Amino acid sequence: MTLTPARAPDLRVRRLTTTLYGYAFLEDFVLLYPVYALLFSDTGLTVWQISSLFALWSVTGVLLEVPSGVWADAVSRRLLLWLGPLLTAAGFALWVLLPSYGVFAVGFVLWGAGGALASGALEALVYDELERLDAADRYARIMGRARAAGLVAVMAAMGLAGPVLAWGGHTAVGAASVLVCLLTAAMALRFPEHRCPATGHEGWTATLRAGLGEARADRSVRGGLLLVPAVGAVWGALDEYTPLLVRDTGVADETVPCLLLLVWAGATAGSLLAGEGERLGTTGLASLLAGAGLALAVGSAAGTPAGLVLVALAFGGFQAATVLADARLQRRIADTGRATLTSVAGLATELATVAVFGGYAVIASRGGHSMAFAVFALPYLGTALLLMLMRPLRSPRGIP
């Protein structure tokens, strides 16, 4: 049967999205995520040593974020999406085969490098392929669903990690995690890629110069680069403290996971609704951020389990806004430096997240977790106000 011209692009979009959703799910379906701290503790590491490993992980991501984006633009984005999970698999295998502080450190470097390779490359590949198929207007909806698939994978990993750990210990959990990483790499090979990357050393330097030059020349691109960390950094950092916020509501420890699932469900719903939110424009995005910020402040300040419903709604709003901020940035970037500038935004998000961690420690140590969550709702109100004030800003290409 001969495909009509209208149907052929739809099939190619479907192949792209199916691959993306599978990749996003497998990338986060890692059973080690909820229990690797137990592995470190069982090996005899101190709290200081564990904290130093987390710091090394963060530093690795920060140092490699932009170089990996330049590499993705200069070579092949699909290549990096394939290589990243393999590095992570190697790190996880080392953890369970040779558990020690030094090996854990090597594993975190490999994991951080693997994550940096995928950051920027995935968004750039998906947007360019959709644009080639005249479907770039679906980007926010598709990426929202991909983020939702990742969140569902995290929740599934949380549910399975305990039984697998009880059955086969850290070795079984590690083996399952390595297998999932290998499947993720195999899934990456299904991604289509039709762009012609630059070649040679000149391609690397030219790609970096072109990407940074575009940001200098176009104020709307700079605005997009700033919006991504402004939306994603704060709630991304607060997510690490949600178990402590939940426990401070007075519930029993065994109830904490159930209420955490409520918060994760809110974020998942936000991902699924992100495509609908794109129709709201700048005013709608500002309203979304303001509403989510108010919900976070009121829900966390309540200090009750019922208040967590508002926190879940806030996280859903922030998740949707994160997808929308990424979509706004992608629309403003020319093809040449897309992964480079997306990685620049990722670097800014990482640095802002570290700053939030420091601020949270100061506020929570004095006023508790409820106060810290409420205080960090304020940046979202400020971002919403700035968006309203800067509505007239337009790209030279006429993109709002």
Side-chain angles (χ1 to χ4, degrees):
M1 181 179 67
T2 303
L3 295 176
T4 64
R7 184 158 176 76
D10 285 341
L11 290 177
R12 291 195 290 268
V13 170
R14 187 178 304 168
R15 179 195 172 190
L16 172 64
T17 56
T18 301
T19 303
L20 172 63
Y21 300 153
Y23 186 90
F25 181 89
L26 290 171
E27 188 179 33
D28 283 328
F29 187 57
V30 177
L31 271 61
L32 268 173
Y33 284 173
V35 299
Y36 62 73
L38 301 179
L39 171 62
F40 301 157
S41 180
D42 292 346
T43 306
L45 269 61
T46 65
V47 174
W48 183 90
Q49 287 176 314
I50 295 174
S51 298
S52 68
L53 290 175
F54 292 157
L56 177 63
W57 187 22
S58 297
V59 169
T60 301
V62 167
L63 293 178
L64 296 180
E65 182 74 38
V66 174
S68 67
V70 176
W71 191 19
D73 280 333
V75 186
S76 166
R77 294 158 183 171
R78 182 171 57 191
L79 171 65
L80 269 63
L81 295 176
W82 169 79
L83 181 59
L86 295 181
L87 294 179
T88 304
F92 290 161
L94 288 173
W95 281 4
V96 295
L97 292 175
L98 302 168
S100 66
Y101 178 80
V103 171
F104 292 148
V106 172
F108 266 122
V109 170
L110 290 171
W111 190 2
L117 291 180
S119 176
L122 180 65
E123 294 86 351
L125 184 148
V126 172
Y127 190 90
D128 280 348
E129 291 299 319
L130 288 174
E131 190 172 46
R132 190 181 71 86
L133 297 171
D134 294 325
D137 58 328
R138 305 188 204 176
Y139 176 81
R141 180 179 293 104
I142 289 170
M143 289 304 295
R145 291 173 179 173
R147 300 280 177 88
L151 292 171
V152 170
V154 170
M155 291 187 284
M158 286 180 176
L160 287 176
V164 174
L165 183 65
W167 172 71
H170 294 299
T171 300
V173 173
S177 300
V178 170
L179 176 60
V180 167
C181 289
L182 296 178
L183 291 175
T184 306
M187 183 66 71
L189 297 177
R190 287 180 45 84
F191 277 114
E193 186 175 27
H194 294 86
R195 61 186 292 273
C196 296
T199 57
H201 295 292
E202 282 298 317
W204 285 60
T205 57
T207 298
L208 179 60
R209 287 197 304 268
L212 297 180
E214 183 179 1
R216 286 194 299 267
D218 191 337
R219 287 195 305 161
S220 74
V221 173
R222 292 199 301 274
L225 288 173
L226 293 174
L227 182 62
V228 169
V231 171
V234 174
W235 84 275
L238 293 180
D239 176 59
E240 302 295 332
Y241 300 100
T242 48
L244 302 175
L245 177 70
V246 172
R247 188 167 64 181
D248 275 6
T249 63
V251 300
D253 283 354
E254 54 268 25
T255 308
V256 170
C258 296
L259 292 177
L260 284 178
L261 286 177
L262 171 66
V263 177
W264 281 96
T268 303
S271 285
L272 294 174
L273 294 173
E276 302 301 321
E278 194 169 26
R279 289 187 256 174
L280 300 176
T282 300
T283 301
L285 180 58
S287 301
L288 178 63
L289 287 174
L294 289 173
L296 178 65
V298 174
S300 58
T304 64
L308 296 175
V309 175
L310 289 177
V311 175
L313 290 174
F315 272 42
F318 295 146
Q319 177 67 72
T322 299
V323 175
L324 294 174
D326 172 50
R328 288 166 66 92
L329 176 62
Q330 300 302 330
R331 287 198 301 269
R332 287 161 169 75
I333 301 175
D335 169 54
T336 305
R338 187 176 304 282
T340 300
L341 289 179
T342 304
S343 291
V344 169
L347 173 61
T349 302
E350 291 283 349
L351 294 175
T353 300
V354 172
V356 173
F357 285 149
Y360 188 97
V362 173
I363 298 170
S365 63
R366 297 180 180 180
H369 297 289
S370 293
M371 177 178 287
F373 269 72
V375 168
F376 277 110
L378 297 177
Y380 287 107
L381 301 180
T383 300
L385 178 61
L386 287 175
L387 279 173
M388 294 300 296
L389 294 175
M390 298 177 67
R391 278 184 301 169
L393 185 64
R394 290 291 185 273
S395 165
R397 295 189 295 276
I399 300 173

